[in-house]
Amino acid sequence: MITVVGIGADGWTGLAPGSRTALERAEVIMGSARQLGTLPPSGAERVAWPSPLLPALEALVESYRDRVVCVLASGDPMFFGIGSTLVRLLGAGRLTVLPHVSSLSLACARLGWPVEGVEVISLVGRPVAALNAAFSPGRRLAVLGSERTSPADVAALLTARGYGRSTLTVLSDLGSATETRLNGTAATWAGEPGSALNVIAVTCRPDPGLEPLARVPGLPDTAFEHDGQLTKREVRAVTLSRLAPLPGEHLWDVGAGAGSIAIEWMRSHPSCTASAVESHPARAAAIRRNAGTLGVPGLEIVEARAPEGLSGLPEPDAVFVGGGLTVPGMLETCWSALRPGGRLVANAVTLESEALTVRWQAERGGDLVRLSVQRAGPVGGFTAWRPMMPVTVWSVTKPDETDAP
């Protein structure tokens, strides 16, 4: 059995009696060099984490399987902590977790913020671009920094995205004798935290004239960098409603173009993931930039032709085919890979691709919807309707054969 002990910046003095007892009984104590240095002398063997940690973690812990092991974790081990990683690797049955007060709870206590009203984003092992999806007027964010420079990085990103008036409070070494607090605004930020152990509390305030981006499907077309290969706003909103993203699900966006479907799928919930498959190098590069700008830098971008490039991708809960619909084997491969109960949506613009979706709908069922959108635009000194190309949307749910009578 492995005991995971949460420990704060105040070290041994801040531990609960049960946590102290577990450490006193341990034969092996693992943790960062900083954490190990906060403990009093004992007879336990002390093992500092290697770098990089994750590739070596499971083998390292297993090498001490026959001994009494304690693992030190910052704050609450199950809150963006190593406790969650160990559960995934070893299973919950092999762990006893003794939590400490999390940095989020300490930060909210200092600020008087209700914890349930704060969105939390960790920058540990993640790019600062992950914040882009969270910016919204009046929104309170608690950003878990990973470096001394994290506050300056957050301030620079807020300013670049039109939220330079946002207020920042940087709390460092929370709970220790050296705890510090710095206040400022994003556009004028000049301070540095006392250490890399910082929480950046942000109240988002947009600059005048900024158009905030919603989390619901149908972002403006201008939100994406594209060369014309873009599922337009109105069609995109309908398409995503048919794909019906749910928390934790994975999407294949096949023939991704600008990546708009995959990006908006991931923006719907932080746990949603996606693979964007695009063979055109310049478009794949634009997808990467769009994903960062719109706050989903974790989007998997596969620069390959489909259906060959679909091999080895995570099993999809939903598939969108926006390009290459008539490529031989495309729909067959996507349908075969789709999990039972998953959704497939295909958009057809040409007569040939429409005929294919009609045939598949006759064989597999589902819905066919034809969208015809017109946008008002100038004609000389007047305004007239300008029609977009009609789009046929086929959406179908793959039956679960285990439910059949």
Side-chain angles (χ1 to χ4, degrees), residues 33-113:
R34 179 192 61 79
Q35 291 168 337
L36 293 170
T38 66
L39 303 182
S42 71
E45 179 183 351
R46 301 191 179 195
V47 180
W49 295 132
S51 181
L53 171 59
L54 289 181
L57 180 60
E58 185 173 7
L60 178 63
V61 172
E62 291 289 1
S63 69
Y64 292 94
R65 187 182 182 98
D66 297 327
R67 302 180 70 182
V68 180
V69 176
C70 273
V71 171
L72 297 175
S74 296
D76 184 345
M78 305 304 293
F79 179 70
F80 292 100
I82 197 168
S84 303
T85 303
L86 289 172
V87 167
R88 176 172 53 83
L89 294 175
L90 307 177
R94 289 188 55 190
L95 301 180
T96 297
V97 180
L98 303 177
H100 192 69
V101 179
S102 71
S103 58
L104 172 65
S105 293
L106 287 171
C108 288
R110 301 291 189 270
L111 298 167
W113 286 6

Side-chain angles (χ1 to χ4, degrees), residues 155-243:
L157 185 67
L158 282 161
T159 303
R161 295 289 175 262
Y163 284 87
R165 298 197 304 167
S166 300
T167 59
L168 276 68
T169 299
V170 179
L171 301 161
S172 301
D173 294 327
L174 279 160
S176 75
T178 59
E179 179 177 321
T180 61
R181 174 173 177 160
L182 293 173
N183 299 304
T185 61
T188 60
W189 185 259
E192 286 293 339
S195 77
L197 298 176
N198 57 75
V199 176
I200 306 133
V202 180
T203 301
C204 297
R205 293 179 178 168
D207 297 337
L210 178 73
E211 181 182 355
L213 297 179
R215 298 290 281 267
V216 297
L219 290 176
D221 294 345
T222 53
F224 299 92
E225 175 188 339
H226 64 91
D227 61 359
Q229 293 298 310
L230 174 75
T231 302
K232 300 303 189 290
R233 182 179 195 173
E234 296 82 2
V235 176
R236 192 181 335 122
V238 172
T239 299
L240 282 155
S241 74
R242 295 304 181 103
L243 288 168

Side-chain angles (χ1 to χ4, degrees), residues 13-398:
T13 59
L15 290 176
S19 296
R20 291 188 180 187
T21 299
L23 289 167
E24 289 168 341
R25 293 176 177 173
E27 298 174 349
V28 180
I29 303 175
M30 300 180 178
S32 69
R34 179 192 61 79
Q35 291 168 337
L36 293 170
T38 66
L39 303 182
S42 71
E45 179 183 351
R46 301 191 179 195
V47 180
W49 295 132
S51 181
L53 171 59
L54 289 181
L57 180 60
E58 185 173 7
L60 178 63
V61 172
E62 291 289 1
S63 69
Y64 292 94
R65 187 182 182 98
D66 297 327
R67 302 180 70 182
V68 180
V69 176
C70 273
V71 171
L72 297 175
S74 296
D76 184 345
M78 305 304 293
F79 179 70
F80 292 100
I82 197 168
S84 303
T85 303
L86 289 172
V87 167
R88 176 172 53 83
L89 294 175
L90 307 177
R94 289 188 55 190
L95 301 180
T96 297
V97 180
L98 303 177
H100 192 69
V101 179
S102 71
S103 58
L104 172 65
S105 293
L106 287 171
C108 288
R110 301 291 189 270
L111 298 167
W113 286 6
V115 177
E116 69 274 11
V118 178
E119 183 170 353
V120 184
I121 303 99
S122 175
L123 297 184
V124 179
R126 303 177 70 197
V128 71
L131 284 168
N132 278 323
F135 297 156
S136 180
R139 189 70 169 144
R140 286 175 170 175
L141 312 177
V143 184
L144 310 183
S146 61
E147 306 287 346
R148 287 175 54 86
T149 58
S150 291
D153 294 340
V154 171
L157 185 67
L158 282 161
T159 303
R161 295 289 175 262
Y163 284 87
R165 298 197 304 167
S166 300
T167 59
L168 276 68
T169 299
V170 179
L171 301 161
S172 301
D173 294 327
L174 279 160
S176 75
T178 59
E179 179 177 321
T180 61
R181 174 173 177 160
L182 293 173
N183 299 304
T185 61
T188 60
W189 185 259
E192 286 293 339
S195 77
L197 298 176
N198 57 75
V199 176
I200 306 133
V202 180
T203 301
C204 297
R205 293 179 178 168
D207 297 337
L210 178 73
E211 181 182 355
L213 297 179
R215 298 290 281 267
V216 297
L219 290 176
D221 294 345
T222 53
F224 299 92
E225 175 188 339
H226 64 91
D227 61 359
Q229 293 298 310
L230 174 75
T231 302
K232 300 303 189 290
R233 182 179 195 173
E234 296 82 2
V235 176
R236 192 181 335 122
V238 172
T239 299
L240 282 155
S241 74
R242 295 304 181 103
L243 288 168
L246 296 172
E249 290 192 327
H250 188 77
L251 169 76
W252 285 4
D253 184 354
V254 183
S260 61
I261 295 294
I263 289 169
E264 293 220 46
W265 167 280
M266 291 182 66
R267 281 174 60 90
S268 70
H269 194 274
S271 65
C272 285
T273 57
S275 301
V277 183
E278 174 55 57
S279 63
H280 195 288
R283 290 173 187 161
I287 294 173
R288 186 168 289 105
R289 291 189 292 272
N290 285 332
T293 300
L294 293 168
V296 289
L299 171 63
E300 179 185 27
I301 300 168
V302 182
E303 189 176 324
R305 289 189 176 276
E308 296 82 7
L310 303 176
S311 176
L313 296 183
E315 182 184 38
D317 300 284
V319 176
F320 171 64
V321 184
L325 191 59
T326 58
V327 173
M330 179 72 80
L331 281 177
E332 289 84 353
T333 300
C334 293
W335 185 257
S336 176
L338 185 65
R339 69 160 180 82
R343 290 85 62 202
L344 186 147
V345 177
N347 286 3
V349 176
T350 66
L351 291 175
E352 291 79 6
S353 58
E354 185 180 74
L356 185 63
T357 59
V358 169
R359 178 170 63 83
W360 271 73
Q361 192 270 341
E363 296 175 359
R364 304 288 181 176
D367 295 329
L368 281 171
V369 175
R370 199 174 204 205
L371 303 178
S372 181
V373 178
Q374 300 182 58
R375 293 177 176 175
V379 176
F382 299 91
T383 304
W385 293 109
R386 295 185 178 276
M388 298 166 53
M389 293 182 67
V391 178
T392 299
V393 180
W394 175 50
S395 56
V396 60
T397 298
K398 187 173 182 178

